Amino acid sequence: MRRDNLRLSTKKRAALKKMSNESGIIAALAIDQRGSLEKMIAAEKGSTTAQEITTFKELVSEELTPFASAILLDPEYGLPASKRRDSDAGLLIAYEKTGYDQATPGRLPDLLPDWSVERIQKAGADAIKFLLYYDVDEDAAINHFKHVFIERIGTECLALDMPFFLELVSYDAGHNDMNSKAYAKQKPHKVIEMMKEFSKPEYFVDVLKVEVPVNMSFVEGFGEDFVFTEKQALAFYKEQSEATDLPFIFLSGGVTAERFQETLRFAKKAGSRFNGVLCGRATWKDGIEPFAREGEEATRSWLKSVGKENLEKLNRVLEVTASSWHDKTK
């Protein structure tokens, strides 16, 4: 069942407006990474502490949220950073436990044990974000478990009138390398079909946070070894946009800032009606080196220059590529 328009309560609409710019585009910054951020810092200096992870998030929040419509943080390390954000920036807080049990098939989701939607709401969040790994072709019992899991979260958000952002990350249960040429051939099917699934009304999702439908490194004109022509890739972006009636935003997926901006322009060329971004590592990951090697002042200097420039360039691209989510809601 598809919806012609998403019906938003007055409170949810106000929260989404807080997380958007004046054009109704979500230009949000994501730094809810936990285990991966720990590894990135440790890779530069050999080890890291919980306080260092918290401090890096605080610096990013303080220096970059004046140029973002919202910030996505986590309850484990990110709450101090939420207090350092710009007063006009909205706040999303992640609800999922980071990572997954690699010994158990299915990349099964789990919640942070000490948190609920109500507790996150009381911590000052404007919206909830939950990350789900999903393979549309996986065993039906595993996917049924995930369907019910997301129904529960959607219902919890509905009861508390909190916008529910569902982040979907595709994978293939039979392979480990999601950056491979072999997976690039499957990715459009995986991404588009999971968007169709979680656009169903029983999940009460308000905004989808999704991958672009193709690995641009394997698109003609973007990579030396391509599996899709430009025309084929454009068609996948168009099909993705038409697969949902919900507002949807793109995640950066760890690519460079330049590649992500190129990708958004490509999506616009395809006729995609995406509604913004939640951009993480593409904005701030190169700030980890000065943080690990030189300390806070060097990090601030990088954020005030390169980090700010990354966001301003992204905002300029969004102005000419993204569409207002208001067009998809009542």
Side-chain angles (χ1 to χ4, degrees):
M1 180 181 175
R2 286 164 60 97
R3 288 172 283 193
D4 293 331
N5 285 90
L6 174 67
R7 291 189 178 275
L8 288 174
S9 67
T10 301
K11 186 175 180 180
K12 282 191 176 186
R13 182 174 292 275
L16 284 183
K17 284 184 177 180
K18 170 125 179 114
M19 291 181 284
S20 312
N21 63 25
E22 292 179 356
S23 300
I25 294 166
I26 297 168
L29 175 67
I31 186 164
D32 61 323
Q33 289 82 355
R34 286 152 274 180
S36 60
L37 181 56
E38 179 182 3
K39 290 175 183 176
M40 284 188 275
I41 297 174
E44 293 292 338
K45 61 179 298 186
S47 63
T48 190
T49 65
Q51 183 56 54
E52 286 173 327
I53 296 169
T54 297
T55 298
F56 184 74
K57 289 174 183 277
E58 287 179 306
L59 293 171
V60 169
S61 178
E62 185 171 344
E63 299 297 341
L64 296 186
T65 53
F67 315 103
S69 66
I71 187 169
L72 167 63
L73 291 160
D74 60 281
E76 294 163 289
Y77 302 104
L79 292 182
S82 73
K83 310 299 182 187
R84 306 275 284 272
R85 76 188 194 277
D86 187 85
S87 59
D88 290 332
L91 177 63
L92 296 95
I93 291 185
Y95 193 18
E96 77 275 355
K97 185 184 290 185
T98 188
Y100 53 86
D101 183 358
Q102 298 187 15
T104 303
R107 302 192 185 191
L108 299 180
D110 201 359
L111 297 171
L112 291 167
D114 294 331
W115 291 89
S116 63
V117 172
E118 183 174 17
R119 288 173 182 267
I120 290 174
Q121 188 178 59
K122 288 180 178 178
D126 297 300
I128 293 292
K129 189 276 296 186
F130 188 85
L131 165 62
L132 180 72
Y133 293 98
Y134 193 78
D135 177 2
V136 296
D137 302 306
E138 197 159 29
D139 181 86
I142 289 174
N143 283 346
H144 175 71
F145 174 88
K146 294 179 180 181
H147 297 164
V148 174
F149 199 99
I150 299 304
E151 287 174 18
R152 291 190 184 116
I153 298 173
T155 303
E156 192 178 2
C157 289
L158 183 68
L160 290 165
D161 222 3
M162 281 282 279
F164 178 21
F165 283 58
L166 177 61
E167 178 178 3
L168 296 172
V169 175
S170 67
Y171 70 98
D172 181 350
H175 301 86
N176 292 322
D177 187 0
M178 299 304 107
N179 293 313
S180 68
K181 182 178 181 180
Y183 185 69
K185 296 177 182 178
Q186 300 183 62
K187 186 174 181 179
H189 159 70
K190 303 281 191 184
V191 171
I192 292 168
E193 292 304 314
M194 70 181 178
M195 284 182 66
K196 289 179 181 178
E197 174 61 39
F198 291 100
S199 296
K200 294 176 182 177
E202 56 261 36
Y203 299 110
F204 297 109
V205 173
D206 297 303
V207 179
L208 288 171
K209 179 188 177 187
V210 296
E211 304 162 281
V212 297
V214 293
N215 183 335
M216 296 301 290
S217 296
F218 294 100
V219 173
E220 179 186 21
F222 288 83
E224 294 181 5
D225 185 14
F226 64 88
V227 299
F228 297 121
T229 65
E230 178 181 344
K231 183 178 180 180
Q232 288 172 320
L234 288 167
F236 285 130
Y237 276 88
K238 182 67 170 175
E239 184 180 353
Q240 177 191 42
S241 183
E242 294 173 349
T244 183
D245 297 311
L246 296 176
F248 71 97
I249 57 179
F250 286 131
L251 56 90
S252 59
V255 301
T256 64
E258 293 76 14
R259 173 51 60 88
F260 191 49
Q261 291 159 26
E262 290 172 353
T263 301
L264 298 181
R265 292 190 184 96
F266 193 85
K268 174 64 174 180
K269 182 178 179 180
S272 175
R273 300 284 296 170
F274 72 96
N275 306 108
V277 297
L278 250 171
C279 184
R281 289 166 287 176
T283 299
W284 50 256
K285 68 177 179 180
D286 290 342
I288 290 174
E289 182 178 352
F291 178 76
R293 296 174 183 246
E294 302 177 62
E296 289 188 29
E297 287 310 308
T299 309
R300 283 190 188 278
S301 178
W302 187 91
L303 290 168
K304 288 176 180 290
S305 55
V306 182
K308 175 186 175 183
E309 184 180 4
N310 285 343
L311 268 183
E312 289 181 330
K313 285 182 177 178
L314 178 60
N315 287 337
R316 288 195 291 270
V317 172
L318 287 172
E319 285 177 8
V320 296
T321 59
S323 301
S324 172
W325 57 261
H326 297 295
D327 298 337
K328 296 180 178 179
T329 64
K330 290 182 179 179

